[in-house]
């Protein structure tokens, strides 16, 4: 498979705009391990090889285990995720699949049981951000490095 285009060269300023938003999201104080799990799970759902490659490497550098990285596709059945991680992963799936899920009340309310409203908002923004990156990378067929 070959890359289709370089969106960031074709639309000057777009990379900076996305990076500014990513830097804002990074600065919100969201737990970094949780953030990487969210990025990996959304990227799995979307089938973004570039982002999966990047974020699994980042997660490993932060000390995340192979077991938990590989188990993300089956997090519902896996015993090694916390209640907070489970709520964030459920929200990740619902937001990533928003056209079919419409983020059900039970998923949102489950997140509110373990996170503050501010944390749910932060997680939502992190999910939106990785989905934006996924969509650019997938559409342009950005190759993993």
């Amino acid at each position: 498979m070959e890359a289709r285009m370089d969106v960031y060269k074709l639309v000057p300023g777009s990379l900076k705009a996305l990076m500014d938003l990513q830097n804002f999201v990074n600065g919100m104080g969201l737990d970094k391990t949780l953030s990487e799990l969210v990025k990996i799970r959304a990227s799995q759902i979307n089938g973004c090889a570039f982002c999966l490659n990047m974020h699994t490497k980042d997660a490993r550098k932060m000390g995340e285990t192979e077991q938990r990285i590989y188990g993300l596709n089956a997090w519902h059945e896996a015993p090694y995720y916390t209640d907070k991680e489970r709520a964030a992963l459920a929200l990740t799936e619902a937001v990533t699949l928003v056209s079919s899920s419409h983020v059900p009340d039970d998923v949102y309310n489950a997140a509110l049981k373990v996170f503050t409203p501010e944390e749910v908002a932060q997680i939502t923004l992190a999910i939106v951000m990785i989905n934006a990156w996924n969509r650019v990378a997938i559409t342009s067929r950005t190759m993993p490095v």
Side-chain angles (χ1 to χ4, degrees):
M1 188 180 312
E2 292 182 28
R4 288 180 170 157
M5 64 179 156
D6 185 334
V7 170
Y8 309 118
K9 284 185 181 175
L10 294 169
V11 184
S14 59
L15 179 59
K16 181 184 181 324
L18 284 169
M19 286 303 299
D20 286 348
L21 183 53
Q22 184 65 64
N23 289 333
F24 176 81
V25 169
N26 291 347
M28 294 185 306
L30 190 61
D31 178 80
K32 292 190 185 320
T33 298
L34 181 69
S35 179
E36 288 305 317
L37 293 177
V38 162
K39 291 173 185 176
I40 294 167
R41 185 65 191 122
S43 298
Q44 287 174 332
I45 293 166
N46 290 323
C48 185
F50 180 85
C51 293
L52 278 168
N53 184 60
M54 177 191 306
H55 295 295
T56 55
K57 286 179 183 177
D58 290 347
R60 285 183 191 98
K61 286 178 190 171
M62 294 171 33
E64 189 55 80
T65 66
E66 297 295 314
Q67 180 185 45
R68 285 169 40 93
I69 292 170
Y70 297 146
L72 277 172
N73 273 328
W75 68 266
H76 291 273
E77 293 81 24
Y80 33 82
Y81 300 101
T82 68
D83 289 342
K84 284 187 170 190
E85 289 167 342
R86 290 176 181 286
L89 292 168
L91 190 59
T92 299
E93 291 181 357
V95 172
T96 300
L97 300 169
V98 70
S99 68
S100 60
S101 79
H102 297 278
V103 188
D105 288 339
D106 63 325
V107 171
Y108 181 79
N109 291 331
L112 285 175
K113 288 183 181 177
V114 294
F115 294 109
T116 67
E118 292 80 11
E119 290 170 325
V120 172
Q122 291 172 348
I123 294 165
T124 300
L125 289 173
I127 297 165
V128 167
M129 195 69 239
I130 189 58
N131 273 281
W133 290 117
N134 285 173
R135 280 151 175 75
V136 171
I138 292 166
T139 302
S140 61
R141 290 195 178 146
T142 305
M143 296 293 111
V145 290

